[in-house]
Amino acid sequence: MIRSKSRIYGGWLIAMITLVDALSSCWFGYDQGVFAGVLVSEDFKTLFPQVLDANISGITSSCFFLGAFIGSLMAFMMGDKLGRRRTIAWGLLCNLIGATLQFTSWHLPQMIIGRLVNGFGIGLTSTMTPVYLSECAKSHMRGKLVVIGTSSNVTMFALANWISYALYSQNNAFQWRFPLAFQVVFFVMIAPLLFFVPESPRWLLLAGRDTEALEVLSRLAGKDIPMDDRIVTNEFRSIKVAIDLEREDRTPLMDVLCFRDKTHNFRRLILSCGTQFMQQFSGINALGFYLPTLLTENVGFNQEMSRLISAINGTVYLVSAFGSVIFIDRLGRRKMMLSGSIAMGLCHLIASLCLRTSEIDISQRKMLGNVTTAMFIVYHVFFGTSWACVPWVYSAEVNSLGWRTRGAAAATATNWLGGFVVTQYTKIGIDRLGWAFYLIFAICCFCYFPIVLLFYPETSNRTLEDMDHMFIQNPSIFVLGRAEMTQRRRPTSFMEAEAERIAAA
């Protein structure tokens, strides 16, 4: 069978799909970093004096997360009906409308509506682009490629902080309107790419469009690879049989929610949501949105120094996040989450104790303030190499094909809801609890270690179709001591099961 002519195939096609995910993540990361600088702009506070109230400041920041939460729920309900590309396109359009409303705002309600709409679009794209990429990439490179996307998120987070620092001397509306308007650049970069990339082959099979799926698989395989090539047809058969088996075993929703289906879809959804919950309650957005404010009010730096430290911190975070590309498949998902949880907990613990000591002994405030700042930066190093990336990879991998969009959407919704709660109450928590606020995050991080150790299986170096076999053969919720569930290398039994699926097709 001869496929239709295409100039983009193989590695170049995967690179373009990765670019769609990376640039979408760039917009996501930029939005996470940009508003910290906006909130401390004097012109912004003069135009919107309501944000001087901690509750209003919190809702103005956190409504973005509320919009993203709703967007993720929409992806949950409509993602499999619309398809991967169309859902991403709708998300980009909402992002453009939301960004325009924000940088043209003269009244606070318009700003809040703009952030809600912008957040809704980010909820759609942040749910769908990792799923789209993971469904197109090969298992041995899937982790690295998804991590490139999440690391791109951090790249723009760092850029947003540097833009904030560069505009420090601007005492007019340009100081905050330009950073918000800069978002339009992302739309211009991403939208044209969607015309050149195909739909996910796994979604096409799920939608019953077998011929199109086979053609996309042959394009992903490389130049001049026919649709009847053995490798292409074997992959096609393996995916199709996995879908057919899942459909034959389709159980009522209530049975799924009561853990009575043999593929354990609800358990897998909880695991993916759990990674995003733990990511948010490690304190990343408490620092991401309020670091300049924290450094000014808690540590004692002036505004210029606070912006500079935030920009340097963003750059360190960026380098760390790209460092995770090296480790994500070498160490596996479990080891990265386990080591990261302990390291982040120690950073929060030391920072909180230093702030407490500086309250008791004023003479040491400067020195202890420097140590606290160093802990915030070191925290971003450990977070960047572990929890920044792993939850996005994990939620795109662990769910079955029939539940992949819903699982990723539920996980992303958990991320945004957690971000909303953390961002809404960070300023209030700092004002009322002071140093003890960071102690809460330290305790949370330490608790993640036993949770991951006991309940989270390894997903690296497995095909997406391996996941069903893994949960069917290992129904216990506890994974510790079970080699098939925890080893980084692909188990032999999984390869044998794949051969049986191909033979049965």
Side-chain angles (χ1 to χ4, degrees):
M1 298 172 67
I2 305 298
R3 73 184 189 209
S4 58
K5 293 289 184 181
S6 175
R7 294 181 180 178
I8 306 170
Y9 41 76
W12 285 107
L13 184 57
I14 283 291
M16 190 167 284
I17 294 170
T18 304
L19 194 59
V20 170
D21 179 53
L23 289 173
S24 298
S25 295
C26 281
W27 200 338
F28 169 17
Y30 185 83
D31 281 345
Q32 284 186 303
V34 70
F35 218 68
V38 171
L39 283 174
V40 294
S41 167
E42 292 300 326
D43 185 84
F44 181 82
K45 289 187 285 188
T46 301
L47 185 61
F48 306 114
Q50 305 96 315
V51 298
L52 296 174
D53 180 279
N55 287 299
I56 301 297
S57 174
I59 197 63
T60 306
S61 297
S62 61
C63 66
F64 172 82
F65 290 96
L66 191 59
F69 171 72
I70 297 169
S72 298
L73 293 181
M74 183 59 68
F76 182 98
M77 294 183 287
M78 301 299 295
D80 281 336
K81 294 180 180 178
L82 291 175
R84 311 322 187 209
R85 286 171 66 223
R86 198 179 300 173
T87 305
I88 295 168
W90 277 108
L92 292 175
L93 182 60
C94 291
N95 287 341
L96 178 64
I97 294 169
T100 304
L101 286 171
Q102 287 176 78
F103 74 77
T104 59
S105 289
W106 289 96
H107 303 284
L108 190 62
Q110 181 182 339
M111 175 64 72
I112 291 174
I113 291 170
R115 287 187 61 71
L116 279 167
V117 175
N118 195 178
F120 180 85
I122 291 292
L124 290 175
T125 57
S126 63
T127 297
M128 201 53 62
T129 57
V131 171
Y132 178 44
L133 176 56
S134 68
E135 289 185 345
C136 293
K138 300 295 183 185
S139 60
H140 68 276
M141 58 193 300
R142 187 177 61 236
K144 291 185 178 71
L145 294 181
V146 176
V147 164
I148 287 172
T150 54
S151 300
S152 300
N153 171 306
V154 182
T155 302
M156 290 301 109
F157 175 84
L159 178 63
N161 280 288
W162 279 112
I163 289 175
S164 173
Y165 176 67
L167 296 175
Y168 169 73
S169 60
Q170 298 284 330
N171 295 315
N172 51 40
F174 187 79
Q175 187 183 53
W176 63 272
R177 289 192 189 274
F178 172 76
L180 293 175
F182 187 79
Q183 296 179 73
V184 177
V185 172
F186 298 114
F187 180 85
V188 175
M189 294 173 70
I190 304 168
L193 293 175
L194 290 180
F195 291 99
F196 298 99
V197 294
E199 184 52 88
S200 155
R202 286 173 169 84
W203 181 81
L204 290 170
L205 275 166
L206 196 64
R209 294 156 62 176
D210 292 15
T211 304
E212 292 175 65
L214 190 58
E215 182 175 346
V216 172
L217 287 170
S218 70
R219 285 182 62 188
L220 291 168
K223 183 180 180 181
D224 299 328
I225 303 294
M227 292 167 63
D228 55 3
D229 178 82
R230 184 179 60 83
I231 295 175
V232 173
T233 54
N234 281 350
E235 185 174 7
F236 175 85
R237 289 169 183 164
S238 179
I239 299 169
K240 187 168 178 58
V241 169
I243 292 172
D244 291 342
L245 288 173
E246 188 175 324
R247 282 174 173 161
E248 289 172 9
D249 189 50
R250 185 169 290 173
T251 52
L253 180 60
M254 189 54 65
D255 285 347
V256 173
L257 297 179
C258 293
F259 304 95
R260 289 198 289 261
D261 61 324
K262 68 179 184 180
T263 51
H264 297 264
N265 282 306
F266 192 49
R267 173 188 165 194
R268 292 154 77 172
L269 184 144
I270 291 172
L271 289 173
S272 57
C273 290
T275 59
Q276 297 286 10
F277 178 90
M278 290 186 282
Q279 184 198 67
Q280 283 303 313
F281 284 88
S282 71
I284 183 59
N285 277 310
L287 296 178
F289 272 76
Y290 288 103
L291 187 57
T293 306
L294 300 178
L295 293 174
T296 302
E297 297 181 5
N298 285 55
V299 182
F301 291 112
N302 61 37
Q303 257 206 47
E304 182 179 9
M305 182 57 71
S306 295
R307 285 174 182 251
L308 177 59
I309 291 172
S310 297
I312 293 170
N313 176 69
T315 306
V316 171
Y317 184 19
L318 159 65
V319 174
S320 302
F322 272 101
S324 65
V325 175
I326 301 170
F327 303 117
I328 187 74
D329 286 323
R330 290 185 180 181
L331 296 180
R333 319 317 184 221
R334 275 171 57 87
K335 286 183 180 177
M336 292 180 73
M337 289 192 286
L338 289 169
S339 58
S341 60
I342 296 297
M344 293 187 304
L346 288 172
C347 290
H348 279 304
L349 179 62
I350 295 169
S352 62
L353 293 177
C354 286
L355 288 172
R356 174 57 177 161
T357 307
S358 69
E359 291 177 3
I360 298 170
D361 188 353
I362 301 297
S363 64
Q364 296 190 62
R365 185 179 183 189
K366 184 176 180 179
M367 184 271 289
L368 292 170
N370 290 337
V371 175
T372 301
T373 304
M375 286 300 103
F376 287 155
I377 294 173
V378 173
Y379 164 86
H380 279 86
V381 172
F382 290 120
F383 181 85
T385 53
S386 57
W387 285 91
C389 303
V390 173
W392 297 100
V393 178
Y394 201 90
S395 60
E397 292 177 328
V398 73
N399 293 287
S400 65
L401 181 57
W403 278 72
R404 188 163 300 131
T405 299
R406 284 174 281 184
T412 308
T414 304
N415 178 285
W416 293 119
L417 186 61
F420 170 78
V421 172
V422 171
T423 308
Q424 173 65 29
Y425 293 105
T426 290
K427 188 68 170 65
I428 299 168
I430 292 168
D431 291 344
R432 296 183 180 179
L433 298 177
W435 67 274
F437 185 69
Y438 305 100
L439 200 57
I440 295 172
F441 292 124
I443 294 169
C444 286
C445 288
F446 289 137
C447 288
Y448 300 158
F449 185 91
I451 292 171
V452 173
L453 187 68
L454 292 174
F455 302 111
Y456 276 80
E458 184 58 70
T459 59
S460 64
N461 295 308
R462 277 96 165 136
T463 68
L464 296 179
E465 288 65 47
D466 282 342
M467 302 301 169
D468 283 349
H469 178 79
M470 181 168 71
F471 281 92
I472 290 170
Q473 296 301 315
N474 298 276
S476 173
I477 63 170
F478 297 102
V479 303
L480 186 63
R482 297 174 181 268
E484 281 193 348
M485 301 292 276
T486 58
Q487 71 183 50
R488 185 183 59 82
R489 295 186 306 277
R490 189 185 184 196
T492 304
S493 62
F494 291 6
M495 291 183 270
E496 293 171 350
E498 182 179 36
E500 290 174 8
R501 286 197 301 271
I502 294 169

